Amino acid sequence: MKRIIFILSIIFLIGCTTKPTQSEMSISPTELTSREKSILEGVIGQEILSYDVSSLPNDHQLRLTVEHYHNGEKQNHVANMSSSITAKDKPHTLFFSREKTDEGYTIHALVLSENGVSAMEAYKEYNTKNSSSLFKKLEEEITFNTNEEIIVGVTIEDSGNAIITGSLQEDDPRFKEVIAKYQDVFVYKVSVSKEQKVID
């Protein structure tokens, strides 16, 4: 009997140590087929970020934000959207995209869930035209904690000829250099917070 209890205790401990902490979660890039990518490019723009968010915990809020820096100065948010994560309506994929024209750009943020789509769209005109552009996206799974903002993509535009990007995350010193150096920088962010329950 003691041996069985000992074995069960070991199994229980192993099970507990392999689970991530309650506040830790992850998102990972989704692989789009060439057909899906061409359809999305035709509908929501040339620069597409797509991430699997199916492992995010229930009873939380998923927040998508796009920040814009012009000549090193932070502007008003281009996009700011929240979507509830519930057992009945579980999000599985999020998309950011940007569609450019000669006059401006349209930012799209979409969250696909089992019961539909949450979406927002924002149009902004260019302050000045830029001759060169670079789009960089997070291409591996990332683990993060509740209330922690993570960067999943960056678009850099400048009137110069050469664009060199730094890291995607804000704790890298090169990130501030990128913000200060280039004319326009768009930062695509994701965060998850505990949903506040309304008590009747």
Side-chain angles (χ1 to χ4, degrees), residues 41-66:
E41 284 176 350
V43 175
I44 60 172
Q46 304 94 339
E47 300 167 355
I48 299 171
L49 294 159
S50 56
Y51 288 91
D52 182 342
V53 293
S54 58
S55 67
L56 297 180
N58 294 336
D59 303 320
H60 282 67
Q61 282 280 340
L62 172 62
R63 186 175 175 207
L64 312 181
T65 307
V66 182

PDB file of all heavy atoms in Angstrom, residues 41-66:
ATOM      1  N   GLU A  41      -4.750  38.833 -48.532  1.00  0.00           N
ATOM      2  CA  GLU A  41      -4.102  40.025 -49.086  1.00  0.00           C
ATOM      3  C   GLU A  41      -5.089  40.843 -49.913  1.00  0.00           C
ATOM      4  O   GLU A  41      -5.062  42.069 -49.897  1.00  0.00           O
ATOM      5  CB  GLU A  41      -2.895  39.635 -49.936  1.00  0.00           C
ATOM      6  CG  GLU A  41      -1.686  39.234 -49.106  1.00  0.00           C
ATOM      7  CD  GLU A  41      -0.520  38.761 -49.956  1.00  0.00           C
ATOM      8  OE1 GLU A  41      -0.711  38.565 -51.182  1.00  0.00           O
ATOM      9  OE2 GLU A  41       0.573  38.568 -49.395  1.00  0.00           O
ATOM     10  N   GLY A  42      -5.989  40.156 -50.628  1.00  0.00           N
ATOM     11  CA  GLY A  42      -6.990  40.857 -51.431  1.00  0.00           C
ATOM     12  C   GLY A  42      -8.064  41.515 -50.591  1.00  0.00           C
ATOM     13  O   GLY A  42      -8.655  42.516 -50.982  1.00  0.00           O
ATOM     14  N   VAL A  43      -8.317  40.966 -49.393  1.00  0.00           N
ATOM     15  CA  VAL A  43      -9.399  41.469 -48.548  1.00  0.00           C
ATOM     16  C   VAL A  43      -8.905  42.460 -47.497  1.00  0.00           C
ATOM     17  O   VAL A  43      -9.510  43.510 -47.284  1.00  0.00           O
ATOM     18  CB  VAL A  43     -10.133  40.293 -47.859  1.00  0.00           C
ATOM     19  CG1 VAL A  43     -11.172  40.794 -46.877  1.00  0.00           C
ATOM     20  CG2 VAL A  43     -10.785  39.415 -48.904  1.00  0.00           C
ATOM     21  N   ILE A  44      -7.790  42.140 -46.815  1.00  0.00           N
ATOM     22  CA  ILE A  44      -7.390  42.972 -45.673  1.00  0.00           C
ATOM     23  C   ILE A  44      -5.981  43.547 -45.770  1.00  0.00           C
ATOM     24  O   ILE A  44      -5.493  44.125 -44.801  1.00  0.00           O
ATOM     25  CB  ILE A  44      -7.542  42.207 -44.334  1.00  0.00           C
ATOM     26  CG1 ILE A  44      -6.667  40.946 -44.308  1.00  0.00           C
ATOM     27  CG2 ILE A  44      -8.977  41.886 -44.037  1.00  0.00           C
ATOM     28  CD1 ILE A  44      -6.626  40.257 -42.956  1.00  0.00           C
ATOM     29  N   GLY A  45      -5.316  43.433 -46.892  1.00  0.00           N
ATOM     30  CA  GLY A  45      -4.050  44.135 -47.012  1.00  0.00           C
ATOM     31  C   GLY A  45      -2.831  43.265 -47.230  1.00  0.00           C
ATOM     32  O   GLY A  45      -2.884  42.049 -47.106  1.00  0.00           O
ATOM     33  N   GLN A  46      -1.715  43.947 -47.541  1.00  0.00           N
ATOM     34  CA  GLN A  46      -0.499  43.246 -47.935  1.00  0.00           C
ATOM     35  C   GLN A  46       0.292  42.703 -46.753  1.00  0.00           C
ATOM     36  O   GLN A  46       0.934  41.666 -46.860  1.00  0.00           O
ATOM     37  CB  GLN A  46       0.416  44.189 -48.731  1.00  0.00           C
ATOM     38  CG  GLN A  46      -0.247  44.811 -49.944  1.00  0.00           C
ATOM     39  CD  GLN A  46      -0.846  46.191 -49.656  1.00  0.00           C
ATOM     40  OE1 GLN A  46      -1.119  46.528 -48.512  1.00  0.00           O
ATOM     41  NE2 GLN A  46      -1.070  46.970 -50.684  1.00  0.00           N
ATOM     42  N   GLU A  47       0.317  43.416 -45.648  1.00  0.00           N
ATOM     43  CA  GLU A  47       1.094  42.987 -44.481  1.00  0.00           C
ATOM     44  C   GLU A  47       0.169  42.225 -43.545  1.00  0.00           C
ATOM     45  O   GLU A  47      -0.748  42.795 -42.976  1.00  0.00           O
ATOM     46  CB  GLU A  47       1.687  44.205 -43.775  1.00  0.00           C
ATOM     47  CG  GLU A  47       2.619  45.011 -44.659  1.00  0.00           C
ATOM     48  CD  GLU A  47       2.958  46.367 -44.060  1.00  0.00           C
ATOM     49  OE1 GLU A  47       2.392  46.725 -43.008  1.00  0.00           O
ATOM     50  OE2 GLU A  47       3.782  47.073 -44.654  1.00  0.00           O
ATOM     51  N   ILE A  48       0.408  40.928 -43.388  1.00  0.00           N
ATOM     52  CA  ILE A  48      -0.521  40.104 -42.609  1.00  0.00           C
ATOM     53  C   ILE A  48       0.217  39.406 -41.475  1.00  0.00           C
ATOM     54  O   ILE A  48       1.234  38.754 -41.691  1.00  0.00           O
ATOM     55  CB  ILE A  48      -1.211  39.046 -43.498  1.00  0.00           C
ATOM     56  CG1 ILE A  48      -2.026  39.726 -44.594  1.00  0.00           C
ATOM     57  CG2 ILE A  48      -2.106  38.144 -42.661  1.00  0.00           C
ATOM     58  CD1 ILE A  48      -2.563  38.776 -45.635  1.00  0.00           C
ATOM     59  N   LEU A  49      -0.310  39.558 -40.279  1.00  0.00           N
ATOM     60  CA  LEU A  49       0.150  38.812 -39.105  1.00  0.00           C
ATOM     61  C   LEU A  49      -0.963  37.848 -38.737  1.00  0.00           C
ATOM     62  O   LEU A  49      -2.121  38.253 -38.634  1.00  0.00           O
ATOM     63  CB  LEU A  49       0.377  39.758 -37.925  1.00  0.00           C
ATOM     64  CG  LEU A  49       1.497  40.772 -38.044  1.00  0.00           C
ATOM     65  CD1 LEU A  49       1.264  41.917 -37.078  1.00  0.00           C
ATOM     66  CD2 LEU A  49       2.815  40.115 -37.726  1.00  0.00           C
ATOM     67  N   SER A  50      -0.644  36.575 -38.535  1.00  0.00           N
ATOM     68  CA  SER A  50      -1.669  35.615 -38.116  1.00  0.00           C
ATOM     69  C   SER A  50      -1.097  34.727 -37.028  1.00  0.00           C
ATOM     70  O   SER A  50      -0.004  34.177 -37.175  1.00  0.00           O
ATOM     71  CB  SER A  50      -2.129  34.761 -39.304  1.00  0.00           C
ATOM     72  OG  SER A  50      -1.035  34.116 -39.914  1.00  0.00           O
ATOM     73  N   TYR A  51      -1.856  34.614 -35.906  1.00  0.00           N
ATOM     74  CA  TYR A  51      -1.372  33.867 -34.747  1.00  0.00           C
ATOM     75  C   TYR A  51      -2.447  32.970 -34.164  1.00  0.00           C
ATOM     76  O   TYR A  51      -3.624  33.342 -34.122  1.00  0.00           O
ATOM     77  CB  TYR A  51      -0.847  34.827 -33.668  1.00  0.00           C
ATOM     78  CG  TYR A  51       0.452  35.452 -34.094  1.00  0.00           C
ATOM     79  CD1 TYR A  51       0.455  36.657 -34.777  1.00  0.00           C
ATOM     80  CD2 TYR A  51       1.663  34.810 -33.869  1.00  0.00           C
ATOM     81  CE1 TYR A  51       1.642  37.210 -35.221  1.00  0.00           C
ATOM     82  CE2 TYR A  51       2.852  35.363 -34.310  1.00  0.00           C
ATOM     83  CZ  TYR A  51       2.837  36.558 -34.978  1.00  0.00           C
ATOM     84  OH  TYR A  51       4.016  37.096 -35.429  1.00  0.00           O
ATOM     85  N   ASP A  52      -2.019  31.802 -33.714  1.00  0.00           N
ATOM     86  CA  ASP A  52      -2.891  30.848 -33.049  1.00  0.00           C
ATOM     87  C   ASP A  52      -3.005  31.256 -31.573  1.00  0.00           C
ATOM     88  O   ASP A  52      -2.005  31.325 -30.867  1.00  0.00           O
ATOM     89  CB  ASP A  52      -2.276  29.451 -33.161  1.00  0.00           C
ATOM     90  CG  ASP A  52      -3.130  28.364 -32.533  1.00  0.00           C
ATOM     91  OD1 ASP A  52      -4.022  28.689 -31.719  1.00  0.00           O
ATOM     92  OD2 ASP A  52      -2.888  27.185 -32.834  1.00  0.00           O
ATOM     93  N   VAL A  53      -4.232  31.544 -31.143  1.00  0.00           N
ATOM     94  CA  VAL A  53      -4.466  31.951 -29.752  1.00  0.00           C
ATOM     95  C   VAL A  53      -5.388  30.969 -29.031  1.00  0.00           C
ATOM     96  O   VAL A  53      -5.971  31.296 -28.004  1.00  0.00           O
ATOM     97  CB  VAL A  53      -5.031  33.390 -29.674  1.00  0.00           C
ATOM     98  CG1 VAL A  53      -4.007  34.401 -30.135  1.00  0.00           C
ATOM     99  CG2 VAL A  53      -6.328  33.521 -30.487  1.00  0.00           C
ATOM    100  N   SER A  54      -5.503  29.763 -29.573  1.00  0.00           N
ATOM    101  CA  SER A  54      -6.457  28.788 -29.020  1.00  0.00           C
ATOM    102  C   SER A  54      -6.076  28.308 -27.619  1.00  0.00           C
ATOM    103  O   SER A  54      -6.922  27.795 -26.891  1.00  0.00           O
ATOM    104  CB  SER A  54      -6.594  27.584 -29.958  1.00  0.00           C
ATOM    105  OG  SER A  54      -5.330  26.973 -30.164  1.00  0.00           O
ATOM    106  N   SER A  55      -4.813  28.458 -27.231  1.00  0.00           N
ATOM    107  CA  SER A  55      -4.401  27.980 -25.905  1.00  0.00           C
ATOM    108  C   SER A  55      -4.574  29.028 -24.807  1.00  0.00           C
ATOM    109  O   SER A  55      -4.278  28.765 -23.644  1.00  0.00           O
ATOM    110  CB  SER A  55      -2.931  27.527 -25.944  1.00  0.00           C
ATOM    111  OG  SER A  55      -2.083  28.645 -26.153  1.00  0.00           O
ATOM    112  N   LEU A  56      -5.048  30.222 -25.155  1.00  0.00           N
ATOM    113  CA  LEU A  56      -5.237  31.251 -24.130  1.00  0.00           C
ATOM    114  C   LEU A  56      -6.350  30.848 -23.163  1.00  0.00           C
ATOM    115  O   LEU A  56      -7.329  30.217 -23.568  1.00  0.00           O
ATOM    116  CB  LEU A  56      -5.558  32.598 -24.781  1.00  0.00           C
ATOM    117  CG  LEU A  56      -4.463  33.189 -25.671  1.00  0.00           C
ATOM    118  CD1 LEU A  56      -4.913  34.525 -26.252  1.00  0.00           C
ATOM    119  CD2 LEU A  56      -3.153  33.354 -24.919  1.00  0.00           C
ATOM    120  N   PRO A  57      -6.238  31.213 -21.890  1.00  0.00           N
ATOM    121  CA  PRO A  57      -7.202  30.747 -20.883  1.00  0.00           C
ATOM    122  C   PRO A  57      -8.561  31.432 -20.979  1.00  0.00           C
ATOM    123  O   PRO A  57      -8.672  32.580 -21.417  1.00  0.00           O
ATOM    124  CB  PRO A  57      -6.517  31.102 -19.555  1.00  0.00           C
ATOM    125  CG  PRO A  57      -5.614  32.246 -19.889  1.00  0.00           C
ATOM    126  CD  PRO A  57      -5.157  32.028 -21.307  1.00  0.00           C
ATOM    127  N   ASN A  58      -9.571  30.724 -20.547  1.00  0.00           N
ATOM    128  CA  ASN A  58     -10.935  31.272 -20.510  1.00  0.00           C
ATOM    129  C   ASN A  58     -11.048  32.370 -19.456  1.00  0.00           C
ATOM    130  O   ASN A  58     -10.199  32.493 -18.578  1.00  0.00           O
ATOM    131  CB  ASN A  58     -11.951  30.172 -20.195  1.00  0.00           C
ATOM    132  CG  ASN A  58     -12.038  29.151 -21.307  1.00  0.00           C
ATOM    133  OD1 ASN A  58     -11.725  29.432 -22.459  1.00  0.00           O
ATOM    134  ND2 ASN A  58     -12.448  27.946 -20.966  1.00  0.00           N
ATOM    135  N   ASP A  59     -12.134  33.143 -19.565  1.00  0.00           N
ATOM    136  CA  ASP A  59     -12.440  34.228 -18.624  1.00  0.00           C
ATOM    137  C   ASP A  59     -11.338  35.275 -18.581  1.00  0.00           C
ATOM    138  O   ASP A  59     -10.969  35.781 -17.519  1.00  0.00           O
ATOM    139  CB  ASP A  59     -12.723  33.669 -17.220  1.00  0.00           C
ATOM    140  CG  ASP A  59     -13.867  32.667 -17.234  1.00  0.00           C
ATOM    141  OD1 ASP A  59     -14.851  32.920 -17.951  1.00  0.00           O
ATOM    142  OD2 ASP A  59     -13.771  31.638 -16.550  1.00  0.00           O
ATOM    143  N   HIS A  60     -10.780  35.582 -19.740  1.00  0.00           N
ATOM    144  CA  HIS A  60      -9.767  36.622 -19.897  1.00  0.00           C
ATOM    145  C   HIS A  60     -10.161  37.526 -21.060  1.00  0.00           C
ATOM    146  O   HIS A  60     -11.061  37.213 -21.831  1.00  0.00           O
ATOM    147  CB  HIS A  60      -8.380  36.020 -20.166  1.00  0.00           C
ATOM    148  CG  HIS A  60      -7.704  35.486 -18.941  1.00  0.00           C
ATOM    149  ND1 HIS A  60      -8.175  34.393 -18.247  1.00  0.00           N
ATOM    150  CD2 HIS A  60      -6.584  35.904 -18.287  1.00  0.00           C
ATOM    151  CE1 HIS A  60      -7.382  34.151 -17.218  1.00  0.00           C
ATOM    152  NE2 HIS A  60      -6.405  35.051 -17.215  1.00  0.00           N
ATOM    153  N   GLN A  61      -9.484  38.652 -21.171  1.00  0.00           N
ATOM    154  CA  GLN A  61      -9.670  39.584 -22.295  1.00  0.00           C
ATOM    155  C   GLN A  61      -8.414  39.570 -23.157  1.00  0.00           C
ATOM    156  O   GLN A  61      -7.307  39.731 -22.641  1.00  0.00           O
ATOM    157  CB  GLN A  61      -9.891  41.012 -21.782  1.00  0.00           C
ATOM    158  CG  GLN A  61     -11.277  41.296 -21.258  1.00  0.00           C
ATOM    159  CD  GLN A  61     -12.284  41.568 -22.359  1.00  0.00           C
ATOM    160  OE1 GLN A  61     -11.926  41.906 -23.472  1.00  0.00           O
ATOM    161  NE2 GLN A  61     -13.551  41.394 -22.045  1.00  0.00           N
ATOM    162  N   LEU A  62      -8.585  39.378 -24.454  1.00  0.00           N
ATOM    163  CA  LEU A  62      -7.497  39.476 -25.423  1.00  0.00           C
ATOM    164  C   LEU A  62      -7.523  40.881 -26.002  1.00  0.00           C
ATOM    165  O   LEU A  62      -8.554  41.326 -26.498  1.00  0.00           O
ATOM    166  CB  LEU A  62      -7.691  38.439 -26.525  1.00  0.00           C
ATOM    167  CG  LEU A  62      -6.753  38.515 -27.728  1.00  0.00           C
ATOM    168  CD1 LEU A  62      -5.303  38.292 -27.323  1.00  0.00           C
ATOM    169  CD2 LEU A  62      -7.180  37.496 -28.779  1.00  0.00           C
ATOM    170  N   ARG A  63      -6.399  41.599 -25.911  1.00  0.00           N
ATOM    171  CA  ARG A  63      -6.349  42.975 -26.397  1.00  0.00           C
ATOM    172  C   ARG A  63      -5.343  43.094 -27.533  1.00  0.00           C
ATOM    173  O   ARG A  63      -4.209  42.627 -27.418  1.00  0.00           O
ATOM    174  CB  ARG A  63      -5.967  43.924 -25.264  1.00  0.00           C
ATOM    175  CG  ARG A  63      -6.030  45.387 -25.666  1.00  0.00           C
ATOM    176  CD  ARG A  63      -5.764  46.295 -24.499  1.00  0.00           C
ATOM    177  NE  ARG A  63      -5.725  47.677 -24.926  1.00  0.00           N
ATOM    178  CZ  ARG A  63      -5.053  48.621 -24.311  1.00  0.00           C
ATOM    179  NH1 ARG A  63      -4.347  48.352 -23.232  1.00  0.00           N
ATOM    180  NH2 ARG A  63      -5.060  49.859 -24.742  1.00  0.00           N
ATOM    181  N   LEU A  64      -5.774  43.706 -28.629  1.00  0.00           N
ATOM    182  CA  LEU A  64      -4.912  43.965 -29.778  1.00  0.00           C
ATOM    183  C   LEU A  64      -4.728  45.470 -29.904  1.00  0.00           C
ATOM    184  O   LEU A  64      -5.700  46.226 -29.883  1.00  0.00           O
ATOM    185  CB  LEU A  64      -5.546  43.428 -31.069  1.00  0.00           C
ATOM    186  CG  LEU A  64      -6.098  41.994 -31.042  1.00  0.00           C
ATOM    187  CD1 LEU A  64      -6.657  41.628 -32.412  1.00  0.00           C
ATOM    188  CD2 LEU A  64      -5.039  41.008 -30.627  1.00  0.00           C
ATOM    189  N   THR A  65      -3.478  45.906 -30.035  1.00  0.00           N
ATOM    190  CA  THR A  65      -3.169  47.336 -30.111  1.00  0.00           C
ATOM    191  C   THR A  65      -2.169  47.580 -31.232  1.00  0.00           C
ATOM    192  O   THR A  65      -1.248  46.784 -31.419  1.00  0.00           O
ATOM    193  CB  THR A  65      -2.544  47.834 -28.783  1.00  0.00           C
ATOM    194  OG1 THR A  65      -3.396  47.471 -27.699  1.00  0.00           O
ATOM    195  CG2 THR A  65      -2.350  49.341 -28.783  1.00  0.00           C
ATOM    196  N   VAL A  66      -2.368  48.670 -31.963  1.00  0.00           N
ATOM    197  CA  VAL A  66      -1.354  49.112 -32.928  1.00  0.00           C
ATOM    198  C   VAL A  66      -0.927  50.514 -32.523  1.00  0.00           C
ATOM    199  O   VAL A  66      -1.749  51.430 -32.450  1.00  0.00           O
ATOM    200  CB  VAL A  66      -1.900  49.128 -34.375  1.00  0.00           C
ATOM    201  CG1 VAL A  66      -0.795  49.559 -35.348  1.00  0.00           C
ATOM    202  CG2 VAL A  66      -2.440  47.758 -34.768  1.00  0.00           C
TER     203      VAL A  66
END
